[in-house]
Amino acid sequence: MNSPIIAVEHLTKRVSDATGTLTILHDISFTLQARESVAIVGASGSGKSTLLGLLAGLDVPTEGTVRLGGEDLFVLDEDARAALRARQLGFVFQSFQLLSNRTALENVMLPLELAGRRDARAAAADMLQRVGLGQRLGHYPKLLSGGEQQRVALARAFVVQPKVLLADEPTGSLDHATGETVMQLMFELNRERGTTLVLVTHDRSIAARCDRQLLIDAGRLVAQGETLQA
């Protein structure tokens, strides 16, 4: 078998305050192969989003590490982790995270411009066309529906051709029908682009579309497999 695209090794996260120390994640280990899709499921407060942040190197663990493409995230300094994220990762969030003062096209162009791509405008326009927003290039986020904003976010995530897409409750602020449309598009793009997908969700029907599920309970990885019961 090929080396995993993501290897999580004995990951533990603790935080301390005046009341004492709280362990958010307990000794979590797993691997993901390239092109695999995995859903991280569990109750609210179980540590799912904390785990996703550690996978991205946005937070630092108390113990353990994450290897992305064989590279240990936490031997890198913050600038080097940011550079690795820019090369390897795409992100989709529940709250869209679009810049309100930039058009749909400009939001999608931004990561390409930061990477020095000279074809940023053409590539962003093509990607927005792919997600069904070819007529919305000049619209600002406030003029777009929630579903349209999330499609802009998908275009921005996929336009950089990431090896790994991290999605945190991407349908959490959408109604059911709109959420279904967005998720169908996400899975289509994921297959087309050959991306590894890591999806945090509380929706078991969405999780069931992934190759595998990881069940987090009170910060512990208690089960993993193709199908998990609530």
Side-chain angles (χ1 to χ4, degrees), residues 8-15 21 23 25-29 51 54 59-66 72 74:
V8 177
E9 302 170 0
H10 303 293
L11 207 59
T12 295
K13 179 66 178 179
R14 303 186 188 96
V15 295
T21 299
T23 302
L25 295 174
H26 301 255
D27 193 27
I28 289 180
S29 298
L51 176 56
L54 289 168
D59 195 5
V60 177
T62 308
E63 298 170 13
T65 197
V66 175
D72 187 337
F74 304 112

PDB file of all heavy atoms in Angstrom, residues 8-15 21 23 25-29 51 54 59-66 72 74:
ATOM      1  N   VAL A   8      -2.113  10.424  11.429  1.00  0.00           N
ATOM      2  CA  VAL A   8      -2.322  11.027  12.749  1.00  0.00           C
ATOM      3  C   VAL A   8      -1.761  10.067  13.784  1.00  0.00           C
ATOM      4  O   VAL A   8      -2.157   8.895  13.820  1.00  0.00           O
ATOM      5  CB  VAL A   8      -3.822  11.279  13.002  1.00  0.00           C
ATOM      6  CG1 VAL A   8      -4.057  11.835  14.397  1.00  0.00           C
ATOM      7  CG2 VAL A   8      -4.388  12.225  11.947  1.00  0.00           C
ATOM      8  N   GLU A   9      -0.843  10.550  14.596  1.00  0.00           N
ATOM      9  CA  GLU A   9      -0.100   9.674  15.506  1.00  0.00           C
ATOM     10  C   GLU A   9      -0.218  10.165  16.945  1.00  0.00           C
ATOM     11  O   GLU A   9       0.317  11.208  17.316  1.00  0.00           O
ATOM     12  CB  GLU A   9       1.376   9.644  15.079  1.00  0.00           C
ATOM     13  CG  GLU A   9       1.580   9.166  13.649  1.00  0.00           C
ATOM     14  CD  GLU A   9       3.006   9.357  13.151  1.00  0.00           C
ATOM     15  OE1 GLU A   9       3.842   9.873  13.922  1.00  0.00           O
ATOM     16  OE2 GLU A   9       3.277   9.000  11.985  1.00  0.00           O
ATOM     17  N   HIS A  10      -0.976   9.414  17.756  1.00  0.00           N
ATOM     18  CA  HIS A  10      -1.094   9.638  19.199  1.00  0.00           C
ATOM     19  C   HIS A  10      -1.410  11.102  19.526  1.00  0.00           C
ATOM     20  O   HIS A  10      -0.800  11.714  20.402  1.00  0.00           O
ATOM     21  CB  HIS A  10       0.195   9.204  19.902  1.00  0.00           C
ATOM     22  CG  HIS A  10       0.566   7.778  19.642  1.00  0.00           C
ATOM     23  ND1 HIS A  10      -0.194   6.717  20.107  1.00  0.00           N
ATOM     24  CD2 HIS A  10       1.588   7.227  18.928  1.00  0.00           C
ATOM     25  CE1 HIS A  10       0.360   5.580  19.713  1.00  0.00           C
ATOM     26  NE2 HIS A  10       1.427   5.855  18.990  1.00  0.00           N
ATOM     27  N   LEU A  11      -2.401  11.630  18.835  1.00  0.00           N
ATOM     28  CA  LEU A  11      -2.731  13.051  18.969  1.00  0.00           C
ATOM     29  C   LEU A  11      -3.526  13.297  20.253  1.00  0.00           C
ATOM     30  O   LEU A  11      -4.582  12.696  20.473  1.00  0.00           O
ATOM     31  CB  LEU A  11      -3.546  13.491  17.746  1.00  0.00           C
ATOM     32  CG  LEU A  11      -3.479  14.946  17.338  1.00  0.00           C
ATOM     33  CD1 LEU A  11      -2.048  15.362  17.012  1.00  0.00           C
ATOM     34  CD2 LEU A  11      -4.382  15.183  16.126  1.00  0.00           C
ATOM     35  N   THR A  12      -3.006  14.202  21.067  1.00  0.00           N
ATOM     36  CA  THR A  12      -3.653  14.588  22.321  1.00  0.00           C
ATOM     37  C   THR A  12      -3.649  16.108  22.414  1.00  0.00           C
ATOM     38  O   THR A  12      -2.662  16.755  22.069  1.00  0.00           O
ATOM     39  CB  THR A  12      -2.919  13.989  23.530  1.00  0.00           C
ATOM     40  OG1 THR A  12      -3.023  12.564  23.480  1.00  0.00           O
ATOM     41  CG2 THR A  12      -3.509  14.478  24.848  1.00  0.00           C
ATOM     42  N   LYS A  13      -4.773  16.665  22.867  1.00  0.00           N
ATOM     43  CA  LYS A  13      -4.870  18.108  23.053  1.00  0.00           C
ATOM     44  C   LYS A  13      -5.475  18.407  24.421  1.00  0.00           C
ATOM     45  O   LYS A  13      -6.569  17.946  24.736  1.00  0.00           O
ATOM     46  CB  LYS A  13      -5.741  18.746  21.964  1.00  0.00           C
ATOM     47  CG  LYS A  13      -5.911  20.250  22.100  1.00  0.00           C
ATOM     48  CD  LYS A  13      -4.601  21.006  21.900  1.00  0.00           C
ATOM     49  CE  LYS A  13      -4.800  22.510  21.990  1.00  0.00           C
ATOM     50  NZ  LYS A  13      -3.525  23.256  21.817  1.00  0.00           N
ATOM     51  N   ARG A  14      -4.717  19.153  25.236  1.00  0.00           N
ATOM     52  CA  ARG A  14      -5.200  19.594  26.543  1.00  0.00           C
ATOM     53  C   ARG A  14      -5.179  21.115  26.601  1.00  0.00           C
ATOM     54  O   ARG A  14      -4.320  21.754  26.004  1.00  0.00           O
ATOM     55  CB  ARG A  14      -4.325  19.043  27.671  1.00  0.00           C
ATOM     56  CG  ARG A  14      -4.209  17.536  27.716  1.00  0.00           C
ATOM     57  CD  ARG A  14      -3.455  17.079  28.948  1.00  0.00           C
ATOM     58  NE  ARG A  14      -3.163  15.650  28.905  1.00  0.00           N
ATOM     59  CZ  ARG A  14      -2.017  15.140  28.475  1.00  0.00           C
ATOM     60  NH1 ARG A  14      -1.030  15.950  28.074  1.00  0.00           N
ATOM     61  NH2 ARG A  14      -1.821  13.836  28.450  1.00  0.00           N
ATOM     62  N   VAL A  15      -6.128  21.679  27.332  1.00  0.00           N
ATOM     63  CA  VAL A  15      -6.133  23.117  27.601  1.00  0.00           C
ATOM     64  C   VAL A  15      -6.288  23.316  29.101  1.00  0.00           C
ATOM     65  O   VAL A  15      -6.933  22.513  29.780  1.00  0.00           O
ATOM     66  CB  VAL A  15      -7.255  23.843  26.836  1.00  0.00           C
ATOM     67  CG1 VAL A  15      -7.029  23.760  25.329  1.00  0.00           C
ATOM     68  CG2 VAL A  15      -8.626  23.276  27.180  1.00  0.00           C
ATOM     69  N   THR A  21      -7.231  21.434  34.168  1.00  0.00           N
ATOM     70  CA  THR A  21      -6.850  21.008  32.819  1.00  0.00           C
ATOM     71  C   THR A  21      -7.944  20.138  32.212  1.00  0.00           C
ATOM     72  O   THR A  21      -8.453  19.225  32.865  1.00  0.00           O
ATOM     73  CB  THR A  21      -5.532  20.217  32.855  1.00  0.00           C
ATOM     74  OG1 THR A  21      -4.503  21.065  33.370  1.00  0.00           O
ATOM     75  CG2 THR A  21      -5.139  19.747  31.464  1.00  0.00           C
ATOM     76  N   THR A  23      -8.826  17.703  28.914  1.00  0.00           N
ATOM     77  CA  THR A  23      -8.313  16.979  27.757  1.00  0.00           C
ATOM     78  C   THR A  23      -9.402  16.929  26.697  1.00  0.00           C
ATOM     79  O   THR A  23     -10.450  16.317  26.901  1.00  0.00           O
ATOM     80  CB  THR A  23      -7.872  15.557  28.142  1.00  0.00           C
ATOM     81  OG1 THR A  23      -6.863  15.641  29.157  1.00  0.00           O
ATOM     82  CG2 THR A  23      -7.300  14.832  26.937  1.00  0.00           C
ATOM     83  N   LEU A  25      -8.799  16.011  23.289  1.00  0.00           N
ATOM     84  CA  LEU A  25      -8.567  14.828  22.460  1.00  0.00           C
ATOM     85  C   LEU A  25      -7.608  13.898  23.185  1.00  0.00           C
ATOM     86  O   LEU A  25      -6.609  14.353  23.747  1.00  0.00           O
ATOM     87  CB  LEU A  25      -7.988  15.215  21.098  1.00  0.00           C
ATOM     88  CG  LEU A  25      -8.881  16.034  20.165  1.00  0.00           C
ATOM     89  CD1 LEU A  25      -8.097  16.462  18.921  1.00  0.00           C
ATOM     90  CD2 LEU A  25     -10.130  15.255  19.753  1.00  0.00           C
ATOM     91  N   HIS A  26      -7.912  12.597  23.153  1.00  0.00           N
ATOM     92  CA  HIS A  26      -7.142  11.592  23.882  1.00  0.00           C
ATOM     93  C   HIS A  26      -6.476  10.620  22.906  1.00  0.00           C
ATOM     94  O   HIS A  26      -7.151   9.768  22.315  1.00  0.00           O
ATOM     95  CB  HIS A  26      -8.036  10.758  24.810  1.00  0.00           C
ATOM     96  CG  HIS A  26      -8.787  11.540  25.845  1.00  0.00           C
ATOM     97  ND1 HIS A  26      -8.429  11.551  27.168  1.00  0.00           N
ATOM     98  CD2 HIS A  26      -9.892  12.318  25.740  1.00  0.00           C
ATOM     99  CE1 HIS A  26      -9.287  12.298  27.832  1.00  0.00           C
ATOM    100  NE2 HIS A  26     -10.177  12.773  26.996  1.00  0.00           N
ATOM    101  N   ASP A  27      -5.180  10.721  22.676  1.00  0.00           N
ATOM    102  CA  ASP A  27      -4.377   9.683  22.030  1.00  0.00           C
ATOM    103  C   ASP A  27      -5.038   9.122  20.764  1.00  0.00           C
ATOM    104  O   ASP A  27      -5.307   7.919  20.656  1.00  0.00           O
ATOM    105  CB  ASP A  27      -4.106   8.561  23.032  1.00  0.00           C
ATOM    106  CG  ASP A  27      -3.014   7.608  22.534  1.00  0.00           C
ATOM    107  OD1 ASP A  27      -2.157   8.052  21.749  1.00  0.00           O
ATOM    108  OD2 ASP A  27      -3.035   6.434  22.937  1.00  0.00           O
ATOM    109  N   ILE A  28      -5.281   9.983  19.795  1.00  0.00           N
ATOM    110  CA  ILE A  28      -5.968   9.582  18.564  1.00  0.00           C
ATOM    111  C   ILE A  28      -4.949   9.261  17.476  1.00  0.00           C
ATOM    112  O   ILE A  28      -4.023  10.028  17.228  1.00  0.00           O
ATOM    113  CB  ILE A  28      -6.932  10.684  18.103  1.00  0.00           C
ATOM    114  CG1 ILE A  28      -8.125  10.743  19.064  1.00  0.00           C
ATOM    115  CG2 ILE A  28      -7.401  10.448  16.668  1.00  0.00           C
ATOM    116  CD1 ILE A  28      -9.145  11.792  18.719  1.00  0.00           C
ATOM    117  N   SER A  29      -5.142   8.123  16.827  1.00  0.00           N
ATOM    118  CA  SER A  29      -4.278   7.706  15.709  1.00  0.00           C
ATOM    119  C   SER A  29      -5.139   7.134  14.590  1.00  0.00           C
ATOM    120  O   SER A  29      -6.069   6.359  14.844  1.00  0.00           O
ATOM    121  CB  SER A  29      -3.268   6.643  16.152  1.00  0.00           C
ATOM    122  OG  SER A  29      -2.397   7.128  17.145  1.00  0.00           O
ATOM    123  N   LEU A  51     -10.049  18.423  16.249  1.00  0.00           N
ATOM    124  CA  LEU A  51      -9.262  17.473  15.468  1.00  0.00           C
ATOM    125  C   LEU A  51      -9.012  18.021  14.068  1.00  0.00           C
ATOM    126  O   LEU A  51      -7.881  17.952  13.558  1.00  0.00           O
ATOM    127  CB  LEU A  51      -9.990  16.128  15.393  1.00  0.00           C
ATOM    128  CG  LEU A  51      -9.350  15.044  14.521  1.00  0.00           C
ATOM    129  CD1 LEU A  51      -7.915  14.763  14.950  1.00  0.00           C
ATOM    130  CD2 LEU A  51     -10.191  13.765  14.568  1.00  0.00           C
ATOM    131  N   LEU A  54      -6.306  20.610  14.073  1.00  0.00           N
ATOM    132  CA  LEU A  54      -4.981  20.012  14.221  1.00  0.00           C
ATOM    133  C   LEU A  54      -4.516  19.375  12.912  1.00  0.00           C
ATOM    134  O   LEU A  54      -3.331  19.457  12.573  1.00  0.00           O
ATOM    135  CB  LEU A  54      -4.994  18.980  15.346  1.00  0.00           C
ATOM    136  CG  LEU A  54      -5.118  19.544  16.761  1.00  0.00           C
ATOM    137  CD1 LEU A  54      -5.416  18.425  17.757  1.00  0.00           C
ATOM    138  CD2 LEU A  54      -3.851  20.278  17.176  1.00  0.00           C
ATOM    139  N   ASP A  59      -3.759  24.577  14.821  1.00  0.00           N
ATOM    140  CA  ASP A  59      -3.540  24.487  16.260  1.00  0.00           C
ATOM    141  C   ASP A  59      -2.403  23.492  16.475  1.00  0.00           C
ATOM    142  O   ASP A  59      -2.061  22.714  15.584  1.00  0.00           O
ATOM    143  CB  ASP A  59      -4.827  24.020  16.947  1.00  0.00           C
ATOM    144  CG  ASP A  59      -4.814  24.238  18.447  1.00  0.00           C
ATOM    145  OD1 ASP A  59      -3.843  24.851  18.956  1.00  0.00           O
ATOM    146  OD2 ASP A  59      -5.763  23.784  19.119  1.00  0.00           O
ATOM    147  N   VAL A  60      -1.817  23.534  17.659  1.00  0.00           N
ATOM    148  CA  VAL A  60      -0.676  22.666  17.983  1.00  0.00           C
ATOM    149  C   VAL A  60      -1.102  21.681  19.058  1.00  0.00           C
ATOM    150  O   VAL A  60      -1.702  22.075  20.061  1.00  0.00           O
ATOM    151  CB  VAL A  60       0.528  23.503  18.455  1.00  0.00           C
ATOM    152  CG1 VAL A  60       1.685  22.604  18.870  1.00  0.00           C
ATOM    153  CG2 VAL A  60       0.963  24.476  17.367  1.00  0.00           C
ATOM    154  N   PRO A  61      -0.809  20.391  18.899  1.00  0.00           N
ATOM    155  CA  PRO A  61      -1.224  19.417  19.903  1.00  0.00           C
ATOM    156  C   PRO A  61      -0.349  19.469  21.146  1.00  0.00           C
ATOM    157  O   PRO A  61       0.780  19.959  21.106  1.00  0.00           O
ATOM    158  CB  PRO A  61      -1.040  18.078  19.174  1.00  0.00           C
ATOM    159  CG  PRO A  61       0.097  18.333  18.230  1.00  0.00           C
ATOM    160  CD  PRO A  61      -0.081  19.751  17.783  1.00  0.00           C
ATOM    161  N   THR A  62      -0.871  18.950  22.239  1.00  0.00           N
ATOM    162  CA  THR A  62      -0.077  18.791  23.456  1.00  0.00           C
ATOM    163  C   THR A  62       0.901  17.633  23.295  1.00  0.00           C
ATOM    164  O   THR A  62       2.056  17.706  23.725  1.00  0.00           O
ATOM    165  CB  THR A  62      -1.004  18.527  24.661  1.00  0.00           C
ATOM    166  OG1 THR A  62      -2.008  19.550  24.704  1.00  0.00           O
ATOM    167  CG2 THR A  62      -0.217  18.539  25.970  1.00  0.00           C
ATOM    168  N   GLU A  63       0.432  16.584  22.660  1.00  0.00           N
ATOM    169  CA  GLU A  63       1.283  15.417  22.358  1.00  0.00           C
ATOM    170  C   GLU A  63       0.889  14.882  20.983  1.00  0.00           C
ATOM    171  O   GLU A  63      -0.205  15.129  20.499  1.00  0.00           O
ATOM    172  CB  GLU A  63       1.089  14.313  23.408  1.00  0.00           C
ATOM    173  CG  GLU A  63       1.479  14.689  24.822  1.00  0.00           C
ATOM    174  CD  GLU A  63       1.036  13.640  25.837  1.00  0.00           C
ATOM    175  OE1 GLU A  63       0.648  12.529  25.419  1.00  0.00           O
ATOM    176  OE2 GLU A  63       1.069  13.948  27.038  1.00  0.00           O
ATOM    177  N   GLY A  64       1.801  14.121  20.370  1.00  0.00           N
ATOM    178  CA  GLY A  64       1.527  13.488  19.092  1.00  0.00           C
ATOM    179  C   GLY A  64       1.781  14.419  17.924  1.00  0.00           C
ATOM    180  O   GLY A  64       2.218  15.561  18.095  1.00  0.00           O
ATOM    181  N   THR A  65       1.484  13.916  16.728  1.00  0.00           N
ATOM    182  CA  THR A  65       1.736  14.733  15.546  1.00  0.00           C
ATOM    183  C   THR A  65       0.812  14.330  14.408  1.00  0.00           C
ATOM    184  O   THR A  65       0.101  13.320  14.465  1.00  0.00           O
ATOM    185  CB  THR A  65       3.203  14.633  15.104  1.00  0.00           C
ATOM    186  OG1 THR A  65       3.508  15.716  14.224  1.00  0.00           O
ATOM    187  CG2 THR A  65       3.485  13.307  14.411  1.00  0.00           C
ATOM    188  N   VAL A  66       0.848  15.139  13.361  1.00  0.00           N
ATOM    189  CA  VAL A  66       0.137  14.882  12.108  1.00  0.00           C
ATOM    190  C   VAL A  66       1.154  14.972  10.978  1.00  0.00           C
ATOM    191  O   VAL A  66       1.912  15.944  10.895  1.00  0.00           O
ATOM    192  CB  VAL A  66      -0.986  15.915  11.875  1.00  0.00           C
ATOM    193  CG1 VAL A  66      -1.622  15.707  10.502  1.00  0.00           C
ATOM    194  CG2 VAL A  66      -2.039  15.841  12.971  1.00  0.00           C
ATOM    195  N   ASP A  72       6.001  16.127   8.789  1.00  0.00           N
ATOM    196  CA  ASP A  72       5.533  16.358  10.154  1.00  0.00           C
ATOM    197  C   ASP A  72       5.176  17.834  10.312  1.00  0.00           C
ATOM    198  O   ASP A  72       6.041  18.711  10.272  1.00  0.00           O
ATOM    199  CB  ASP A  72       6.627  15.960  11.144  1.00  0.00           C
ATOM    200  CG  ASP A  72       6.172  15.994  12.597  1.00  0.00           C
ATOM    201  OD1 ASP A  72       5.205  16.718  12.901  1.00  0.00           O
ATOM    202  OD2 ASP A  72       6.795  15.305  13.427  1.00  0.00           O
ATOM    203  N   PHE A  74       4.336  19.567  12.828  1.00  0.00           N
ATOM    204  CA  PHE A  74       4.678  20.286  14.051  1.00  0.00           C
ATOM    205  C   PHE A  74       6.177  20.366  14.333  1.00  0.00           C
ATOM    206  O   PHE A  74       6.586  20.834  15.393  1.00  0.00           O
ATOM    207  CB  PHE A  74       3.885  19.701  15.237  1.00  0.00           C
ATOM    208  CG  PHE A  74       2.405  19.751  14.957  1.00  0.00           C
ATOM    209  CD1 PHE A  74       1.676  18.592  14.767  1.00  0.00           C
ATOM    210  CD2 PHE A  74       1.760  20.968  14.822  1.00  0.00           C
ATOM    211  CE1 PHE A  74       0.321  18.645  14.473  1.00  0.00           C
ATOM    212  CE2 PHE A  74       0.407  21.029  14.521  1.00  0.00           C
ATOM    213  CZ  PHE A  74      -0.310  19.863  14.357  1.00  0.00           C
TER     214      PHE A  74
END
